[in-house]
Protein backbone atom coordinates (compact mmCIF):
# COMPACT_ATOMS: atom_id res chain seq x y z
CA UNK A 1 0.00 0.00 0.00
CA UNK A 2 1.38 3.40 -0.90
CA UNK A 3 2.07 5.85 1.95
CA UNK A 4 -0.68 8.17 0.74
CA UNK A 5 -3.29 5.44 0.56
CA UNK A 6 -2.27 4.20 3.98
CA UNK A 7 -2.83 7.62 5.54
CA UNK A 8 -6.23 7.90 3.88
CA UNK A 9 -7.18 4.55 5.40
CA UNK A 10 -5.83 5.66 8.78
CA UNK A 11 -7.73 8.94 8.52
CA UNK A 12 -10.95 7.11 7.70
CA UNK A 13 -10.37 4.77 10.64
CA UNK A 14 -9.84 7.77 12.88
CA UNK A 15 -13.04 9.43 11.62
CA UNK A 16 -14.86 6.19 12.19
CA UNK A 17 -13.45 5.96 15.69
CA UNK A 18 -14.27 9.49 16.76
CA UNK A 19 -17.92 8.63 16.18
CA UNK A 20 -17.64 6.35 19.18
CA UNK A 21 -17.97 8.06 22.55
CA UNK A 22 -14.87 7.57 24.70
CA UNK A 23 -16.92 7.90 27.87
CA UNK A 24 -20.51 6.76 28.31
CA UNK A 25 -22.39 7.48 31.54
CA UNK A 26 -25.64 5.66 32.30
CA UNK A 27 -28.52 6.42 34.67
CA UNK A 28 -29.94 2.94 35.04
CA UNK A 29 -33.55 3.85 35.85
CA UNK A 30 -36.90 2.09 35.87
CA UNK A 31 -36.36 -1.12 37.83
CA UNK A 32 -39.32 -0.39 40.09
CA UNK A 33 -41.74 0.43 37.27
CA UNK A 34 -40.61 -2.64 35.31
CA UNK A 35 -41.45 -4.86 38.30
CA UNK A 36 -44.71 -3.02 38.96
CA UNK A 37 -45.87 -3.73 35.40
CA UNK A 38 -45.38 -7.41 36.14
CA UNK A 39 -47.12 -7.14 39.53
CA UNK A 40 -43.89 -8.05 41.27
CA UNK A 41 -42.09 -6.30 44.15
CA UNK A 42 -39.59 -3.54 43.32
CA UNK A 43 -36.69 -5.71 44.40
CA UNK A 44 -37.56 -8.14 41.57
CA UNK A 45 -36.86 -5.25 39.22
CA UNK A 46 -33.55 -4.47 40.92
CA UNK A 47 -32.46 -8.12 40.66
CA UNK A 48 -33.21 -8.17 36.92
CA UNK A 49 -31.59 -4.78 36.49
CA UNK A 50 -28.39 -6.03 38.12
CA UNK A 51 -28.31 -8.91 35.59
CA UNK A 52 -28.17 -6.39 32.74
CA UNK A 53 -24.95 -4.81 33.93
CA UNK A 54 -22.63 -7.57 32.67
CA UNK A 55 -24.16 -7.32 29.19
CA UNK A 56 -23.65 -3.55 29.13
CA UNK A 57 -20.04 -3.81 30.31
CA UNK A 58 -19.33 -6.35 27.55
CA UNK A 59 -21.12 -4.28 24.92
CA UNK A 60 -19.18 -1.15 25.91
CA UNK A 61 -15.84 -2.97 25.73
CA UNK A 62 -16.64 -4.53 22.36
CA UNK A 63 -17.74 -1.15 20.98
CA UNK A 64 -14.37 0.40 21.97
CA UNK A 65 -15.93 2.66 24.58
CA UNK A 66 -13.03 3.33 26.96
CA UNK A 67 -14.91 4.64 30.04
CA UNK A 68 -18.26 3.47 31.36
CA UNK A 69 -19.77 5.16 34.44
CA UNK A 70 -22.90 3.69 35.99
CA UNK A 71 -25.22 5.41 38.45
CA UNK A 72 -26.05 2.58 40.81
CA UNK A 73 -27.19 4.39 43.98
CA UNK A 74 -27.67 8.10 44.60
CA UNK A 75 -27.31 10.07 47.81
CA UNK A 76 -31.07 10.70 47.57
CA UNK A 77 -31.76 6.97 47.29
CA UNK A 78 -31.00 6.70 51.03
CA UNK A 79 -34.49 8.15 51.51
CA UNK A 80 -36.10 5.00 50.10
CA UNK A 81 -37.71 2.44 52.44
CA UNK A 82 -35.03 0.67 54.50
CA UNK A 83 -35.97 -2.77 53.07
CA UNK A 84 -35.35 -1.55 49.54
CA UNK A 85 -32.02 0.05 50.50
CA UNK A 86 -30.91 -3.19 52.17
CA UNK A 87 -31.94 -5.22 49.14
CA UNK A 88 -30.06 -2.87 46.81
CA UNK A 89 -26.80 -3.14 48.75
CA UNK A 90 -27.19 -6.91 48.98
CA UNK A 91 -27.51 -7.02 45.19
CA UNK A 92 -24.53 -4.70 44.79
CA UNK A 93 -22.43 -6.96 47.00
CA UNK A 94 -23.56 -10.01 45.03
CA UNK A 95 -22.69 -8.23 41.79
CA UNK A 96 -19.20 -7.38 43.03
CA UNK A 97 -18.62 -10.87 44.45
CA UNK A 98 -19.62 -12.59 41.23
CA UNK A 99 -18.11 -10.14 38.74
CA UNK A 100 -14.72 -9.00 40.04
CA UNK A 101 -12.78 -12.01 38.69
CA UNK A 102 -14.63 -11.81 35.38
CA UNK A 103 -13.88 -8.07 35.10
CA UNK A 104 -10.23 -8.68 35.96
CA UNK A 105 -9.89 -11.45 33.37
CA UNK A 106 -11.25 -9.01 30.79
CA UNK A 107 -8.73 -6.31 31.71
CA UNK A 108 -11.47 -4.02 33.11
CA UNK A 109 -10.46 -1.52 35.78
CA UNK A 110 -13.07 -0.91 38.48
CA UNK A 111 -13.48 2.35 40.41
CA UNK A 112 -16.08 3.64 42.82
CA UNK A 113 -17.20 7.24 43.30
CA UNK A 114 -19.53 8.55 46.00
CA UNK A 115 -19.66 8.88 49.78
CA UNK A 116 -17.85 5.81 51.09
CA UNK A 117 -18.63 6.62 54.72
CA UNK A 118 -22.25 5.62 54.15
CA UNK A 119 -21.74 2.41 52.15
CA UNK A 120 -22.31 -0.75 54.26
CA UNK A 121 -18.98 -2.24 55.35
CA UNK A 122 -19.40 -5.60 53.54
CA UNK A 123 -20.16 -3.87 50.23
CA UNK A 124 -17.37 -1.33 50.67
CA UNK A 125 -14.81 -4.09 51.37
CA UNK A 126 -15.79 -5.83 48.12
CA UNK A 127 -15.58 -2.56 46.19
CA UNK A 128 -12.11 -1.83 47.57
CA UNK A 129 -10.95 -5.37 46.83
CA UNK A 130 -12.21 -4.97 43.27
CA UNK A 131 -10.47 -1.63 42.91
CA UNK A 132 -7.11 -2.90 44.11
CA UNK A 133 -7.30 -6.15 42.13
CA UNK A 134 -7.99 -4.32 38.86
CA UNK A 135 -5.86 -1.21 39.47
CA UNK A 136 -3.36 -2.02 36.71
CA UNK A 137 -5.91 -2.99 34.08
CA UNK A 138 -5.93 -0.71 31.07
CA UNK A 139 -9.01 -1.99 29.22
CA UNK A 140 -12.49 -0.63 29.88
CA UNK A 141 -12.50 1.80 32.83
CA UNK A 142 -15.67 0.97 34.76
CA UNK A 143 -16.86 3.39 37.45
CA UNK A 144 -19.75 2.68 39.81
CA UNK A 145 -21.41 5.72 41.40
CA UNK A 146 -22.55 4.59 44.84
CA UNK A 147 -24.10 6.90 47.41
CA UNK A 148 -23.16 9.55 44.88
CA UNK A 149 -24.27 13.19 44.71
CA UNK A 150 -22.75 15.59 42.22
CA UNK A 151 -23.54 18.56 44.45
CA UNK A 152 -21.84 16.94 47.49
CA UNK A 153 -18.85 16.15 45.31
CA UNK A 154 -18.65 19.82 44.28
CA UNK A 155 -19.01 20.98 47.88
CA UNK A 156 -16.07 18.75 48.94
CA UNK A 157 -14.01 20.03 46.03
CA UNK A 158 -14.72 23.66 46.91
CA UNK A 159 -13.93 23.09 50.61
CA UNK A 160 -10.58 21.58 49.65
CA UNK A 161 -9.75 24.49 47.38
CA UNK A 162 -10.79 26.97 50.12
CA UNK A 163 -8.41 25.23 52.55
CA UNK A 164 -5.56 25.57 50.07
CA UNK A 165 -6.27 29.29 49.67
CA UNK A 166 -6.43 29.75 53.45
CA UNK A 167 -3.14 27.93 53.99
CA UNK A 168 -1.51 30.04 51.28
CA UNK A 169 -0.75 26.99 49.12
CA UNK A 170 -2.61 28.66 46.24
CA UNK A 171 -3.85 32.13 45.43
CA UNK A 172 -7.54 32.86 44.86
CA UNK A 173 -6.63 33.94 41.34
CA UNK A 174 -5.23 30.47 40.61
CA UNK A 175 -8.69 28.90 40.82
CA UNK A 176 -9.70 27.72 37.38
CA UNK A 177 -11.91 25.08 35.75
CA UNK A 178 -9.21 22.43 35.58
CA UNK A 179 -8.40 22.94 39.27
CA UNK A 180 -12.03 22.30 40.19
CA UNK A 181 -12.22 19.28 37.86
CA UNK A 182 -9.09 17.89 39.52
CA UNK A 183 -10.73 18.08 42.94
CA UNK A 184 -13.81 16.08 41.88
CA UNK A 185 -14.06 12.34 42.46
CA UNK A 186 -14.06 11.90 38.66
CA UNK A 187 -10.63 13.50 38.30
CA UNK A 188 -9.18 10.41 36.59
CA UNK A 189 -11.93 10.29 33.97
CA UNK A 190 -12.57 12.45 30.92
CA UNK A 191 -15.97 14.14 30.79
CA UNK A 192 -18.72 11.85 29.48
CA UNK A 193 -19.38 12.19 25.76
CA UNK A 194 -22.75 10.49 26.01
CA UNK A 195 -25.26 10.18 28.84
CA UNK A 196 -27.93 7.49 28.55
CA UNK A 197 -30.98 7.49 30.83
CA UNK A 198 -33.49 4.68 30.64
CA UNK A 199 -37.17 4.62 31.57
CA UNK A 200 -38.40 7.88 30.09
CA UNK A 201 -37.41 10.43 32.72
CA UNK A 202 -35.54 13.38 31.25
CA UNK A 203 -33.52 14.68 34.19
CA UNK A 204 -30.04 14.32 35.63
CA UNK A 205 -31.02 13.49 39.23
CA UNK A 206 -27.83 14.97 40.70
CA UNK A 207 -25.48 12.88 38.52
CA UNK A 208 -22.13 14.31 37.28
CA UNK A 209 -23.49 17.86 37.03
CA UNK A 210 -20.11 19.46 36.32
CA UNK A 211 -18.87 16.70 34.05
CA UNK A 212 -21.99 16.51 31.87
CA UNK A 213 -21.84 20.19 30.83
CA UNK A 214 -21.22 19.36 27.17
CA UNK A 215 -22.32 15.73 26.96
CA UNK A 216 -24.83 14.46 24.44
CA UNK A 217 -28.02 13.28 26.18
CA UNK A 218 -29.93 10.19 25.11
CA UNK A 219 -33.23 9.20 26.67
CA UNK A 220 -35.07 5.97 26.03
CA UNK A 221 -38.46 4.72 27.22
CA UNK A 222 -37.03 1.24 27.87
CA UNK A 223 -36.88 0.32 31.55
CA UNK A 224 -33.40 -0.66 32.71
CA UNK A 225 -34.09 -4.43 33.09
CA UNK A 226 -35.12 -4.47 29.39
CA UNK A 227 -32.14 -2.44 28.16
CA UNK A 228 -30.14 -4.81 25.99
CA UNK A 229 -27.18 -4.74 23.60
CA UNK A 230 -29.41 -3.60 20.74
CA UNK A 231 -30.59 -0.62 22.79
CA UNK A 232 -27.01 0.32 23.62
CA UNK A 233 -26.14 0.13 19.91
CA UNK A 234 -29.09 2.43 19.13
CA UNK A 235 -27.76 4.96 21.66
CA UNK A 236 -24.29 4.78 20.05
CA UNK A 237 -25.83 5.19 16.59
CA UNK A 238 -27.72 8.27 17.79
CA UNK A 239 -24.48 9.68 19.20
CA UNK A 240 -22.68 9.09 15.91
CA UNK A 241 -25.25 11.28 14.14
CA UNK A 242 -24.86 14.21 16.54
CA UNK A 243 -23.00 17.34 15.55
CA UNK A 244 -21.09 18.41 18.67
CA UNK A 245 -20.45 22.10 18.19
CA UNK A 246 -19.22 23.14 21.67
CA UNK A 247 -20.50 26.66 21.07
CA UNK A 248 -18.81 27.06 17.69
CA UNK A 249 -20.24 26.33 14.23
CA UNK A 250 -20.71 23.02 12.46
CA UNK A 251 -17.50 21.37 11.12
CA UNK A 252 -18.84 21.31 7.55
CA UNK A 253 -19.66 25.03 7.73
CA UNK A 254 -16.14 25.79 8.91
CA UNK A 255 -14.59 24.02 5.95
CA UNK A 256 -17.05 25.31 3.31
CA UNK A 257 -17.45 28.88 4.46
CA UNK A 258 -14.42 30.93 3.35
CA UNK A 259 -15.82 33.99 5.18
CA UNK A 260 -15.71 32.17 8.49
CA UNK A 261 -12.33 30.58 7.89
CA UNK A 262 -10.67 33.75 6.62
CA UNK A 263 -12.54 36.09 8.96
CA UNK A 264 -13.52 38.43 6.07
CA UNK A 265 -16.85 40.29 6.12
C1 LIG B 1 -33.28 2.50 39.32
O1 LIG B 1 -34.59 2.09 39.30
C2 LIG B 1 -32.48 1.87 40.44
C3 LIG B 1 -32.07 2.80 41.49
C4 LIG B 1 -32.41 4.05 41.54
C5 LIG B 1 -31.26 2.26 42.55
P1 LIG B 1 -35.68 2.74 40.22
O2 LIG B 1 -35.73 1.98 41.51
O3 LIG B 1 -35.49 4.19 40.36
O4 LIG B 1 -36.99 2.44 39.40
P2 LIG B 1 -38.23 3.41 39.19
O5 LIG B 1 -37.70 4.68 38.65
O6 LIG B 1 -38.86 3.58 40.54
O7 LIG B 1 -39.10 2.68 38.24
C1 LIG C 1 -31.42 8.11 39.73
O1 LIG C 1 -32.64 7.47 39.67
C2 LIG C 1 -30.45 7.30 40.55
C3 LIG C 1 -30.05 6.00 39.99
C4 LIG C 1 -30.42 5.50 38.85
C5 LIG C 1 -29.13 5.26 40.80
P1 LIG C 1 -33.83 7.84 40.65
O2 LIG C 1 -34.97 6.99 40.25
O3 LIG C 1 -33.41 7.76 42.06
O4 LIG C 1 -34.09 9.37 40.30
P2 LIG C 1 -35.43 10.23 40.38
O5 LIG C 1 -35.98 10.04 41.75
O6 LIG C 1 -36.35 9.73 39.33
O7 LIG C 1 -34.97 11.62 40.08
MG1 LIG D 1 -36.16 5.79 39.34
Amino acid sequence: MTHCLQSVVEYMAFQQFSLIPAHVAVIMDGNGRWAQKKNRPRVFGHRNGARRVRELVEAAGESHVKYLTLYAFSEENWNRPQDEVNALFKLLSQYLKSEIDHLHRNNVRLRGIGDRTKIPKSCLTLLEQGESKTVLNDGLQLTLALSYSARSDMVSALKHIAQKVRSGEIDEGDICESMIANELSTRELPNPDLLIRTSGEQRLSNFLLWELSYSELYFTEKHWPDFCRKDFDLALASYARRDRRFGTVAKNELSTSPELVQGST
Side-chain angles (χ1 to χ4, degrees):
M1 196 188 303
T2 65
H3 178 70
C4 181
L5 185 57
Q6 192 171 1
S7 30
V8 170
V9 170
E10 274 167 13
Y11 176 69
M12 282 168 68
F14 171 74
Q15 281 290 88
Q16 199 58 25
F17 233 68
S18 66
L19 297 179
I20 294 165
H23 185 176
V24 177
V26 185
I27 302 179
M28 306 180 291
D29 196 20
N31 293 349
R33 278 164 284 168
W34 182 86
Q36 217 168 17
K37 264 183 26 195
K38 297 181 177 328
N39 285 321
R40 301 296 300 268
R42 292 177 60 82
V43 64
F44 179 70
H46 294 316
R47 205 174 303 127
N48 282 275
R51 290 196 184 123
R52 282 290 176 197
V53 176
R54 181 189 268 214
E55 190 179 338
L56 177 67
V57 168
E58 285 175 358
E62 284 163 19
S63 309
H64 304 287
V65 167
K66 184 73 189 165
Y67 298 86
L68 181 67
T69 300
L70 307 179
Y71 206 6
F73 192 90
S74 75
E75 183 74 50
E76 291 76 17
N77 290 151
W78 288 112
N79 298 321
R80 293 191 176 197
Q82 191 59 46
D83 281 358
E84 182 169 344
V85 170
N86 293 345
L88 278 165
F89 277 99
K90 203 168 153 202
L91 281 168
L92 274 162
S93 296
Q94 279 169 5
Y95 171 79
L96 290 167
K97 227 180 255 168
S98 69
E99 291 303 295
I100 286 170
D101 285 342
H102 180 70
L103 293 172
H104 186 46
R105 273 197 303 278
N106 286 287
N107 195 25
V108 176
R109 178 169 176 188
L110 177 71
R111 290 181 179 85
I113 53 171
D115 183 354
R116 292 181 186 230
T117 63
K118 291 192 180 154
I119 299 176
K121 184 85 181 72
S122 51
C123 186
L124 183 61
T125 306
L126 285 164
L127 176 67
E128 289 174 347
Q129 283 169 358
E131 285 178 322
S132 39
K133 185 163 194 163
T134 62
V135 70
L136 296 176
N137 293 347
D138 61 3
L140 179 73
Q141 305 289 295
L142 173 65
T143 302
L144 297 182
L146 289 176
S147 190
Y148 175 85
S149 152
R151 287 184 175 180
S152 301
D153 203 23
M154 285 192 259
V155 169
S156 308
L158 294 181
K159 279 184 180 162
H160 199 217
I161 291 173
Q163 271 168 14
K164 287 184 178 171
V165 173
R166 204 178 44 226
S167 69
E169 189 184 325
I170 58 164
D171 205 60
E172 187 190 317
D174 297 334
I175 299 172
C176 59
E177 288 189 13
S178 61
M179 184 183 287
I180 296 174
N182 278 325
E183 292 290 347
L184 295 174
S185 59
T186 50
R187 68 186 73 82
E188 291 176 3
L189 317 175
N191 289 326
D193 299 292
L194 173 67
L195 170 82
I196 299 173
R197 182 166 187 155
T198 58
S199 212
E201 309 298 355
Q202 302 194 0
R203 54 177 171 255
L204 299 179
S205 301
N206 205 4
F207 189 41
L208 304 175
L209 300 182
W210 172 278
E211 299 85 340
L212 290 171
S213 299
Y214 251 111
S215 309
E216 295 298 320
L217 309 180
Y218 180 87
F219 301 105
T220 168
E221 292 297 321
K222 278 270 177 97
H223 297 307
W224 175 251
D226 284 336
F227 189 84
C228 60
R229 172 81 201 234
K230 198 176 109 262
D231 299 303
F232 183 65
D233 289 344
L234 284 175
L236 293 189
S238 167
Y239 175 84
R241 290 191 300 271
R242 309 278 177 104
D243 181 18
R244 301 187 77 190
R245 293 192 286 281
F246 297 101
T248 177
V249 296
K251 270 188 231 108
N252 60 348
E253 286 182 77
L254 257 183
S255 52
T256 54
S257 162
E259 292 90 349
L260 270 174
V261 175
Q262 290 156 18
S264 58
T265 51

